[in-house]
Amino acid sequence: MVQSAAKLVQSLNSAQLKKLAIACGVASSGTKTVLAQRLEATAQALAQNKSVSASDKGILSIDMGIRNLAFAYLVAPASRARNKRSLVGVNAPVPNVDVKLWNRMVLADPQLGQEAHVEEARWSPSYMADMTLDLVQNVLLGPENPPAYILIERQRFRSGGGSAVQEWTLRVNTFEAMLYSTLRTLKSCGRWSGQVIPISPQRVGPFWLEGAAHTELSKPVSSKSELGKVTKAKQKKAKIDLVGNWLQDGKIVPSGQAQVTATSYLERWNGKRTRKSRDETESVQERLQKLDDLADSLLQGLAWIKWQDNIRLLDKDGPEALLEEAAP
């Protein structure tokens, strides 16, 4: 049984509690007491919900978007729990995870239908409801074995901390709400029996990139906001490179449809021109943008699998088991 929050506060320092929080997919900000309470509550919730397991059950990880929606369907092997070494370590995926589906879709092309009446109709509640139902029934729940868990990237309400709410943000937020509502309705009607789990993107990036080496900025920046943009771009590229290296080294072995996406991913990642881009000039930025959503959907699913395992390890063997494995 995991130690109480009071014991965690007494036995661990702030840096150790933060490492445990990142390893378990828990928010890592706050005081020692707050971090310890989050870890205790997370472990207790998982222990009480015996049905939550990432073993031999389908996991659908969705990177939200309307212009670009990416998803990955994963199945994690039950046998991984026997190998403690596979449970921790932020820069390696769980071995033998089967990536069965991996795709990126454009639900709305901003280049089409610029006329005001077309735009208004496209974003009407009735149109978006039809679009969401079609996506859920025919794509997300379309696999032969519907996913037991659907992980949905949590959307922000504002961009860059500004007071204004952008129109596109409202559209994505509306789509997110309709996605939850549609899945809840299908579950209440007995047409799907899985669980929907919101995932904060702020948890995924630090989990995979914590401790990873970052290159120096190639050019000086003139302001704090510009530095934030550069840092975000670096993190985005680091995640893309992480998935590319895993695919290239065979640490991820996709099957079925996902093999096609993996081949295309590697071609773009290595800078090769795809059939679609032979007759057009594609910048490095455009090429990386097309990989960003795919990488995020896969990393989100793989992170959640490891979070469940790490929480169980924390509950069974105590914080030392995770801290020893996470040590350099």
mmCIF file of all heavy atoms in Angstrom, residues 170-213:
data_model
loop_
_atom_site.group_PDB
_atom_site.id
_atom_site.type_symbol
_atom_site.label_atom_id
_atom_site.label_comp_id
_atom_site.label_asym_id
_atom_site.label_seq_id
_atom_site.Cartn_x
_atom_site.Cartn_y
_atom_site.Cartn_z
ATOM 1 N N LEU A 170 -12.825 28.166 -29.560
ATOM 2 C CA LEU A 170 -14.221 27.861 -29.226
ATOM 3 C C LEU A 170 -14.740 26.675 -30.036
ATOM 4 O O LEU A 170 -15.471 25.834 -29.522
ATOM 5 C CB LEU A 170 -15.100 29.088 -29.474
ATOM 6 C CG LEU A 170 -14.931 30.267 -28.513
ATOM 7 C CD1 LEU A 170 -15.763 31.456 -28.977
ATOM 8 C CD2 LEU A 170 -15.340 29.866 -27.104
ATOM 9 N N ARG A 171 -14.356 26.628 -31.301
ATOM 10 C CA ARG A 171 -14.809 25.520 -32.148
ATOM 11 C C ARG A 171 -14.245 24.185 -31.658
ATOM 12 O O ARG A 171 -14.967 23.184 -31.582
ATOM 13 C CB ARG A 171 -14.384 25.778 -33.591
ATOM 14 C CG ARG A 171 -15.108 26.947 -34.240
ATOM 15 C CD ARG A 171 -14.517 27.277 -35.590
ATOM 16 N NE ARG A 171 -15.227 28.377 -36.243
ATOM 17 C CZ ARG A 171 -14.845 28.955 -37.368
ATOM 18 N NH1 ARG A 171 -13.736 28.541 -37.979
ATOM 19 N NH2 ARG A 171 -15.540 29.933 -37.895
ATOM 20 N N VAL A 172 -12.972 24.184 -31.318
ATOM 21 C CA VAL A 172 -12.354 22.939 -30.839
ATOM 22 C C VAL A 172 -12.948 22.543 -29.492
ATOM 23 O O VAL A 172 -13.187 21.357 -29.223
ATOM 24 C CB VAL A 172 -10.823 23.097 -30.743
ATOM 25 C CG1 VAL A 172 -10.194 21.832 -30.173
ATOM 26 C CG2 VAL A 172 -10.229 23.390 -32.114
ATOM 27 N N ASN A 173 -13.196 23.532 -28.618
ATOM 28 C CA ASN A 173 -13.823 23.232 -27.328
ATOM 29 C C ASN A 173 -15.217 22.649 -27.504
ATOM 30 O O ASN A 173 -15.624 21.724 -26.790
ATOM 31 C CB ASN A 173 -13.902 24.493 -26.474
ATOM 32 C CG ASN A 173 -12.556 24.963 -25.953
ATOM 33 O OD1 ASN A 173 -12.378 26.135 -25.663
ATOM 34 N ND2 ASN A 173 -11.602 24.060 -25.848
ATOM 35 N N THR A 174 -15.958 23.184 -28.474
ATOM 36 C CA THR A 174 -17.290 22.651 -28.763
ATOM 37 C C THR A 174 -17.208 21.214 -29.261
ATOM 38 O O THR A 174 -17.982 20.341 -28.840
ATOM 39 C CB THR A 174 -17.999 23.524 -29.818
ATOM 40 O OG1 THR A 174 -18.111 24.867 -29.335
ATOM 41 C CG2 THR A 174 -19.385 22.986 -30.140
ATOM 42 N N PHE A 175 -16.270 20.970 -30.148
ATOM 43 C CA PHE A 175 -16.068 19.627 -30.669
ATOM 44 C C PHE A 175 -15.670 18.660 -29.546
ATOM 45 O O PHE A 175 -16.156 17.524 -29.479
ATOM 46 C CB PHE A 175 -14.994 19.665 -31.752
ATOM 47 C CG PHE A 175 -14.575 18.320 -32.273
ATOM 48 C CD1 PHE A 175 -15.500 17.401 -32.720
ATOM 49 C CD2 PHE A 175 -13.229 17.973 -32.313
ATOM 50 C CE1 PHE A 175 -15.114 16.155 -33.193
ATOM 51 C CE2 PHE A 175 -12.828 16.744 -32.784
ATOM 52 C CZ PHE A 175 -13.768 15.827 -33.226
ATOM 53 N N GLU A 176 -14.806 19.114 -28.657
ATOM 54 C CA GLU A 176 -14.390 18.278 -27.521
ATOM 55 C C GLU A 176 -15.596 17.895 -26.668
ATOM 56 O O GLU A 176 -15.759 16.722 -26.294
ATOM 57 C CB GLU A 176 -13.365 19.040 -26.678
ATOM 58 C CG GLU A 176 -12.898 18.283 -25.439
ATOM 59 C CD GLU A 176 -11.997 19.122 -24.560
ATOM 60 O OE1 GLU A 176 -12.086 20.373 -24.643
ATOM 61 O OE2 GLU A 176 -11.202 18.555 -23.787
ATOM 62 N N ALA A 177 -16.452 18.867 -26.354
ATOM 63 C CA ALA A 177 -17.634 18.592 -25.540
ATOM 64 C C ALA A 177 -18.578 17.613 -26.242
ATOM 65 O O ALA A 177 -19.146 16.712 -25.610
ATOM 66 C CB ALA A 177 -18.365 19.905 -25.229
ATOM 67 N N MET A 178 -18.735 17.780 -27.565
ATOM 68 C CA MET A 178 -19.607 16.873 -28.313
ATOM 69 C C MET A 178 -19.030 15.452 -28.350
ATOM 70 O O MET A 178 -19.785 14.471 -28.334
ATOM 71 C CB MET A 178 -19.811 17.401 -29.733
ATOM 72 C CG MET A 178 -20.710 18.611 -29.813
ATOM 73 S SD MET A 178 -21.107 19.046 -31.520
ATOM 74 C CE MET A 178 -22.364 20.303 -31.269
ATOM 75 N N LEU A 179 -17.725 15.347 -28.374
ATOM 76 C CA LEU A 179 -17.084 14.031 -28.374
ATOM 77 C C LEU A 179 -17.381 13.305 -27.065
ATOM 78 O O LEU A 179 -17.763 12.126 -27.063
ATOM 79 C CB LEU A 179 -15.574 14.209 -28.575
ATOM 80 C CG LEU A 179 -14.748 12.990 -28.953
ATOM 81 C CD1 LEU A 179 -15.276 12.330 -30.217
ATOM 82 C CD2 LEU A 179 -13.288 13.394 -29.141
ATOM 83 N N TYR A 180 -17.231 14.000 -25.945
ATOM 84 C CA TYR A 180 -17.553 13.407 -24.647
ATOM 85 C C TYR A 180 -19.037 13.032 -24.580
ATOM 86 O O TYR A 180 -19.386 11.945 -24.103
ATOM 87 C CB TYR A 180 -17.225 14.392 -23.524
ATOM 88 C CG TYR A 180 -15.791 14.376 -23.068
ATOM 89 C CD1 TYR A 180 -14.825 15.125 -23.717
ATOM 90 C CD2 TYR A 180 -15.399 13.608 -21.968
ATOM 91 C CE1 TYR A 180 -13.507 15.124 -23.294
ATOM 92 C CE2 TYR A 180 -14.085 13.597 -21.527
ATOM 93 C CZ TYR A 180 -13.139 14.357 -22.201
ATOM 94 O OH TYR A 180 -11.833 14.340 -21.782
ATOM 95 N N SER A 181 -19.887 13.941 -25.029
ATOM 96 C CA SER A 181 -21.329 13.703 -24.953
ATOM 97 C C SER A 181 -21.742 12.498 -25.796
ATOM 98 O O SER A 181 -22.558 11.670 -25.361
ATOM 99 C CB SER A 181 -22.073 14.963 -25.417
ATOM 100 O OG SER A 181 -23.458 14.771 -25.414
ATOM 101 N N THR A 182 -21.182 12.399 -26.997
ATOM 102 C CA THR A 182 -21.528 11.279 -27.879
ATOM 103 C C THR A 182 -21.090 9.948 -27.276
ATOM 104 O O THR A 182 -21.845 8.965 -27.280
ATOM 105 C CB THR A 182 -20.867 11.474 -29.258
ATOM 106 O OG1 THR A 182 -21.324 12.702 -29.832
ATOM 107 C CG2 THR A 182 -21.211 10.325 -30.194
ATOM 108 N N LEU A 183 -19.874 9.899 -26.744
ATOM 109 C CA LEU A 183 -19.375 8.659 -26.135
ATOM 110 C C LEU A 183 -20.187 8.289 -24.895
ATOM 111 O O LEU A 183 -20.476 7.121 -24.654
ATOM 112 C CB LEU A 183 -17.896 8.819 -25.775
ATOM 113 C CG LEU A 183 -16.936 8.852 -26.968
ATOM 114 C CD1 LEU A 183 -15.558 9.339 -26.546
ATOM 115 C CD2 LEU A 183 -16.836 7.474 -27.611
ATOM 116 N N ARG A 184 -20.570 9.302 -24.102
ATOM 117 C CA ARG A 184 -21.384 9.041 -22.915
ATOM 118 C C ARG A 184 -22.753 8.489 -23.308
ATOM 119 O O ARG A 184 -23.277 7.560 -22.682
ATOM 120 C CB ARG A 184 -21.557 10.344 -22.131
ATOM 121 C CG ARG A 184 -22.535 10.278 -20.987
ATOM 122 C CD ARG A 184 -21.995 9.472 -19.821
ATOM 123 N NE ARG A 184 -20.926 10.174 -19.146
ATOM 124 C CZ ARG A 184 -20.357 9.756 -18.026
ATOM 125 N NH1 ARG A 184 -20.762 8.619 -17.481
ATOM 126 N NH2 ARG A 184 -19.375 10.427 -17.469
ATOM 127 N N THR A 185 -23.331 9.043 -24.374
ATOM 128 C CA THR A 185 -24.644 8.580 -24.834
ATOM 129 C C THR A 185 -24.577 7.138 -25.329
ATOM 130 O O THR A 185 -25.428 6.304 -24.992
ATOM 131 C CB THR A 185 -25.166 9.493 -25.961
ATOM 132 O OG1 THR A 185 -25.272 10.834 -25.484
ATOM 133 C CG2 THR A 185 -26.522 9.024 -26.456
ATOM 134 N N LEU A 186 -23.554 6.830 -26.133
ATOM 135 C CA LEU A 186 -23.415 5.465 -26.644
ATOM 136 C C LEU A 186 -23.193 4.472 -25.497
ATOM 137 O O LEU A 186 -23.685 3.340 -25.533
ATOM 138 C CB LEU A 186 -22.250 5.407 -27.628
ATOM 139 C CG LEU A 186 -22.459 6.153 -28.958
ATOM 140 C CD1 LEU A 186 -21.197 6.087 -29.812
ATOM 141 C CD2 LEU A 186 -23.641 5.581 -29.728
ATOM 142 N N LYS A 187 -22.470 4.913 -24.470
ATOM 143 C CA LYS A 187 -22.245 4.032 -23.324
ATOM 144 C C LYS A 187 -23.539 3.795 -22.556
ATOM 145 O O LYS A 187 -23.834 2.656 -22.149
ATOM 146 C CB LYS A 187 -21.191 4.641 -22.402
ATOM 147 C CG LYS A 187 -20.803 3.739 -21.236
ATOM 148 C CD LYS A 187 -19.624 4.311 -20.458
ATOM 149 C CE LYS A 187 -19.228 3.374 -19.324
ATOM 150 N NZ LYS A 187 -18.027 3.862 -18.597
ATOM 151 N N SER A 188 -24.330 4.841 -22.370
ATOM 152 C CA SER A 188 -25.597 4.693 -21.633
ATOM 153 C C SER A 188 -26.590 3.832 -22.393
ATOM 154 O O SER A 188 -27.467 3.199 -21.794
ATOM 155 C CB SER A 188 -26.208 6.072 -21.358
ATOM 156 O OG SER A 188 -26.625 6.689 -22.557
ATOM 157 N N CYS A 189 -26.449 3.784 -23.720
ATOM 158 C CA CYS A 189 -27.339 2.957 -24.552
ATOM 159 C C CYS A 189 -26.823 1.527 -24.704
ATOM 160 O O CYS A 189 -27.435 0.719 -25.411
ATOM 161 C CB CYS A 189 -27.501 3.586 -25.934
ATOM 162 S SG CYS A 189 -28.348 5.177 -25.940
ATOM 163 N N GLY A 190 -25.691 1.229 -24.088
ATOM 164 C CA GLY A 190 -25.131 -0.108 -24.158
ATOM 165 C C GLY A 190 -24.390 -0.420 -25.445
ATOM 166 O O GLY A 190 -24.103 -1.582 -25.730
ATOM 167 N N ARG A 191 -24.036 0.596 -26.208
ATOM 168 C CA ARG A 191 -23.345 0.365 -27.485
ATOM 169 C C ARG A 191 -21.836 0.462 -27.349
ATOM 170 O O ARG A 191 -21.105 0.223 -28.301
ATOM 171 C CB ARG A 191 -23.857 1.358 -28.520
ATOM 172 C CG ARG A 191 -25.352 1.191 -28.798
ATOM 173 C CD ARG A 191 -25.836 2.066 -29.895
ATOM 174 N NE ARG A 191 -25.120 1.858 -31.152
ATOM 175 C CZ ARG A 191 -25.323 2.575 -32.252
ATOM 176 N NH1 ARG A 191 -26.229 3.545 -32.234
ATOM 177 N NH2 ARG A 191 -24.643 2.348 -33.343
ATOM 178 N N TRP A 192 -21.369 0.848 -26.171
ATOM 179 C CA TRP A 192 -19.927 0.875 -25.877
ATOM 180 C C TRP A 192 -19.769 0.835 -24.371
ATOM 181 O O TRP A 192 -20.567 1.416 -23.632
ATOM 182 C CB TRP A 192 -19.290 2.150 -26.445
ATOM 183 C CG TRP A 192 -17.813 2.263 -26.180
ATOM 184 C CD1 TRP A 192 -16.834 1.427 -26.625
ATOM 185 C CD2 TRP A 192 -17.155 3.260 -25.395
ATOM 186 N NE1 TRP A 192 -15.610 1.835 -26.163
ATOM 187 C CE2 TRP A 192 -15.770 2.975 -25.418
ATOM 188 C CE3 TRP A 192 -17.588 4.382 -24.683
ATOM 189 C CZ2 TRP A 192 -14.824 3.747 -24.746
ATOM 190 C CZ3 TRP A 192 -16.656 5.164 -24.016
ATOM 191 C CH2 TRP A 192 -15.289 4.848 -24.058
ATOM 192 N N SER A 193 -18.771 0.120 -23.885
ATOM 193 C CA SER A 193 -18.657 -0.085 -22.436
ATOM 194 C C SER A 193 -17.332 0.400 -21.862
ATOM 195 O O SER A 193 -16.965 0.042 -20.750
ATOM 196 C CB SER A 193 -18.828 -1.577 -22.105
ATOM 197 O OG SER A 193 -17.838 -2.350 -22.784
ATOM 198 N N GLY A 194 -16.616 1.212 -22.619
ATOM 199 C CA GLY A 194 -15.303 1.641 -22.161
ATOM 200 C C GLY A 194 -15.321 2.886 -21.289
ATOM 201 O O GLY A 194 -16.369 3.334 -20.823
ATOM 202 N N GLN A 195 -14.137 3.437 -21.074
ATOM 203 C CA GLN A 195 -13.966 4.625 -20.247
ATOM 204 C C GLN A 195 -13.298 5.730 -21.055
ATOM 205 O O GLN A 195 -12.418 5.457 -21.868
ATOM 206 C CB GLN A 195 -13.100 4.321 -19.022
ATOM 207 C CG GLN A 195 -13.670 3.284 -18.075
ATOM 208 C CD GLN A 195 -12.801 3.103 -16.850
ATOM 209 O OE1 GLN A 195 -12.293 4.054 -16.289
ATOM 210 N NE2 GLN A 195 -12.616 1.862 -16.440
ATOM 211 N N VAL A 196 -13.722 6.965 -20.791
ATOM 212 C CA VAL A 196 -13.087 8.133 -21.396
ATOM 213 C C VAL A 196 -12.212 8.795 -20.341
ATOM 214 O O VAL A 196 -12.675 9.064 -19.224
ATOM 215 C CB VAL A 196 -14.137 9.135 -21.919
ATOM 216 C CG1 VAL A 196 -13.453 10.360 -22.513
ATOM 217 C CG2 VAL A 196 -15.029 8.473 -22.948
ATOM 218 N N ILE A 197 -10.959 9.046 -20.695
ATOM 219 C CA ILE A 197 -10.002 9.597 -19.739
ATOM 220 C C ILE A 197 -9.371 10.863 -20.323
ATOM 221 O O ILE A 197 -8.704 10.792 -21.362
ATOM 222 C CB ILE A 197 -8.902 8.569 -19.407
ATOM 223 C CG1 ILE A 197 -9.536 7.303 -18.844
ATOM 224 C CG2 ILE A 197 -7.887 9.156 -18.428
ATOM 225 C CD1 ILE A 197 -8.569 6.150 -18.675
ATOM 226 N N PRO A 198 -9.600 12.031 -19.703
ATOM 227 C CA PRO A 198 -8.960 13.255 -20.193
ATOM 228 C C PRO A 198 -7.476 13.266 -19.839
ATOM 229 O O PRO A 198 -7.091 12.847 -18.748
ATOM 230 C CB PRO A 198 -9.723 14.362 -19.458
ATOM 231 C CG PRO A 198 -10.212 13.713 -18.201
ATOM 232 C CD PRO A 198 -10.476 12.272 -18.544
ATOM 233 N N ILE A 199 -6.656 13.739 -20.760
ATOM 234 C CA ILE A 199 -5.214 13.789 -20.548
ATOM 235 C C ILE A 199 -4.723 15.219 -20.749
ATOM 236 O O ILE A 199 -4.967 15.818 -21.801
ATOM 237 C CB ILE A 199 -4.464 12.864 -21.521
ATOM 238 C CG1 ILE A 199 -4.950 11.420 -21.389
ATOM 239 C CG2 ILE A 199 -2.961 12.954 -21.287
ATOM 240 C CD1 ILE A 199 -4.581 10.740 -20.094
ATOM 241 N N SER A 200 -4.032 15.746 -19.761
ATOM 242 C CA SER A 200 -3.455 17.079 -19.902
ATOM 243 C C SER A 200 -2.160 16.987 -20.701
ATOM 244 O O SER A 200 -1.259 16.234 -20.325
ATOM 245 C CB SER A 200 -3.161 17.688 -18.523
ATOM 246 O OG SER A 200 -2.392 18.871 -18.656
ATOM 247 N N PRO A 201 -2.040 17.746 -21.793
ATOM 248 C CA PRO A 201 -0.801 17.695 -22.573
ATOM 249 C C PRO A 201 0.403 18.179 -21.781
ATOM 250 O O PRO A 201 1.541 17.828 -22.105
ATOM 251 C CB PRO A 201 -1.091 18.623 -23.772
ATOM 252 C CG PRO A 201 -2.224 19.482 -23.340
ATOM 253 C CD PRO A 201 -3.033 18.663 -22.384
ATOM 254 N N GLN A 202 0.158 18.964 -20.722
ATOM 255 C CA GLN A 202 1.263 19.440 -19.884
ATOM 256 C C GLN A 202 1.910 18.316 -19.080
ATOM 257 O O GLN A 202 2.998 18.482 -18.534
ATOM 258 C CB GLN A 202 0.776 20.527 -18.920
ATOM 259 C CG GLN A 202 0.529 21.877 -19.557
ATOM 260 C CD GLN A 202 -0.761 21.921 -20.367
ATOM 261 O OE1 GLN A 202 -1.700 21.160 -20.079
ATOM 262 N NE2 GLN A 202 -0.833 22.792 -21.353
ATOM 263 N N ARG A 203 1.230 17.175 -18.988
ATOM 264 C CA ARG A 203 1.813 16.022 -18.280
ATOM 265 C C ARG A 203 2.659 15.158 -19.219
ATOM 266 O O ARG A 203 3.632 14.544 -18.812
ATOM 267 C CB ARG A 203 0.714 15.141 -17.700
ATOM 268 C CG ARG A 203 -0.342 15.845 -16.909
ATOM 269 C CD ARG A 203 0.067 16.159 -15.494
ATOM 270 N NE ARG A 203 -1.085 16.694 -14.799
ATOM 271 C CZ ARG A 203 -1.438 17.977 -14.777
ATOM 272 N NH1 ARG A 203 -0.699 18.862 -15.425
ATOM 273 N NH2 ARG A 203 -2.505 18.399 -14.130
ATOM 274 N N VAL A 204 2.274 15.092 -20.484
ATOM 275 C CA VAL A 204 2.908 14.165 -21.421
ATOM 276 C C VAL A 204 4.314 14.613 -21.802
ATOM 277 O O VAL A 204 5.259 13.830 -21.762
ATOM 278 C CB VAL A 204 2.039 13.994 -22.682
ATOM 279 C CG1 VAL A 204 2.714 13.044 -23.676
ATOM 280 C CG2 VAL A 204 0.656 13.465 -22.312
ATOM 281 N N GLY A 205 4.452 15.889 -22.194
ATOM 282 C CA GLY A 205 5.753 16.385 -22.630
ATOM 283 C C GLY A 205 6.843 16.226 -21.588
ATOM 284 O O GLY A 205 7.894 15.624 -21.855
ATOM 285 N N PRO A 206 6.637 16.743 -20.363
ATOM 286 C CA PRO A 206 7.673 16.587 -19.332
ATOM 287 C C PRO A 206 8.008 15.141 -19.016
ATOM 288 O O PRO A 206 9.147 14.809 -18.691
ATOM 289 C CB PRO A 206 7.038 17.287 -18.116
ATOM 290 C CG PRO A 206 6.116 18.289 -18.707
ATOM 291 C CD PRO A 206 5.546 17.627 -19.932
ATOM 292 N N PHE A 207 7.014 14.249 -19.104
ATOM 293 C CA PHE A 207 7.275 12.841 -18.806
ATOM 294 C C PHE A 207 8.319 12.264 -19.752
ATOM 295 O O PHE A 207 9.251 11.571 -19.337
ATOM 296 C CB PHE A 207 5.977 12.041 -18.904
ATOM 297 C CG PHE A 207 6.168 10.557 -18.689
ATOM 298 C CD1 PHE A 207 6.309 10.052 -17.417
ATOM 299 C CD2 PHE A 207 6.214 9.679 -19.758
ATOM 300 C CE1 PHE A 207 6.494 8.689 -17.206
ATOM 301 C CE2 PHE A 207 6.390 8.322 -19.562
ATOM 302 C CZ PHE A 207 6.533 7.825 -18.279
ATOM 303 N N TRP A 208 8.162 12.538 -21.055
ATOM 304 C CA TRP A 208 9.097 11.964 -22.026
ATOM 305 C C TRP A 208 10.395 12.753 -22.139
ATOM 306 O O TRP A 208 11.449 12.171 -22.419
ATOM 307 C CB TRP A 208 8.437 11.892 -23.402
ATOM 308 C CG TRP A 208 7.332 10.895 -23.501
ATOM 309 C CD1 TRP A 208 6.028 11.142 -23.791
ATOM 310 C CD2 TRP A 208 7.419 9.476 -23.300
ATOM 311 N NE1 TRP A 208 5.303 9.979 -23.781
ATOM 312 C CE2 TRP A 208 6.129 8.940 -23.484
ATOM 313 C CE3 TRP A 208 8.471 8.611 -22.982
ATOM 314 C CZ2 TRP A 208 5.868 7.576 -23.365
ATOM 315 C CZ3 TRP A 208 8.198 7.249 -22.853
ATOM 316 C CH2 TRP A 208 6.914 6.757 -23.045
ATOM 317 N N LEU A 209 10.331 14.061 -21.908
ATOM 318 C CA LEU A 209 11.506 14.888 -22.155
ATOM 319 C C LEU A 209 12.287 15.227 -20.897
ATOM 320 O O LEU A 209 13.343 15.847 -20.982
ATOM 321 C CB LEU A 209 11.090 16.188 -22.853
ATOM 322 C CG LEU A 209 10.357 16.024 -24.186
ATOM 323 C CD1 LEU A 209 10.013 17.381 -24.767
ATOM 324 C CD2 LEU A 209 11.183 15.206 -25.173
ATOM 325 N N GLU A 210 11.785 14.871 -19.727
ATOM 326 C CA GLU A 210 12.496 15.149 -18.485
ATOM 327 C C GLU A 210 13.883 14.525 -18.524
ATOM 328 O O GLU A 210 14.045 13.318 -18.711
ATOM 329 C CB GLU A 210 11.720 14.602 -17.286
ATOM 330 C CG GLU A 210 12.375 14.868 -15.941
ATOM 331 C CD GLU A 210 12.163 16.291 -15.460
ATOM 332 O OE1 GLU A 210 11.418 17.034 -16.144
ATOM 333 O OE2 GLU A 210 12.714 16.644 -14.417
ATOM 334 N N GLY A 211 14.895 15.341 -18.351
ATOM 335 C CA GLY A 211 16.260 14.830 -18.341
ATOM 336 C C GLY A 211 16.867 14.663 -19.711
ATOM 337 O O GLY A 211 18.046 14.343 -19.833
ATOM 338 N N ALA A 212 16.078 14.849 -20.772
ATOM 339 C CA ALA A 212 16.627 14.704 -22.120
ATOM 340 C C ALA A 212 17.512 15.902 -22.450
ATOM 341 O O ALA A 212 17.266 17.027 -22.034
ATOM 342 C CB ALA A 212 15.495 14.599 -23.140
ATOM 343 N N ALA A 213 18.551 15.658 -23.220
ATOM 344 C CA ALA A 213 19.479 16.725 -23.583
ATOM 345 C C ALA A 213 18.830 17.623 -24.628
ATOM 346 O O ALA A 213 18.211 17.167 -25.569
ATOM 347 C CB ALA A 213 20.774 16.132 -24.125
#
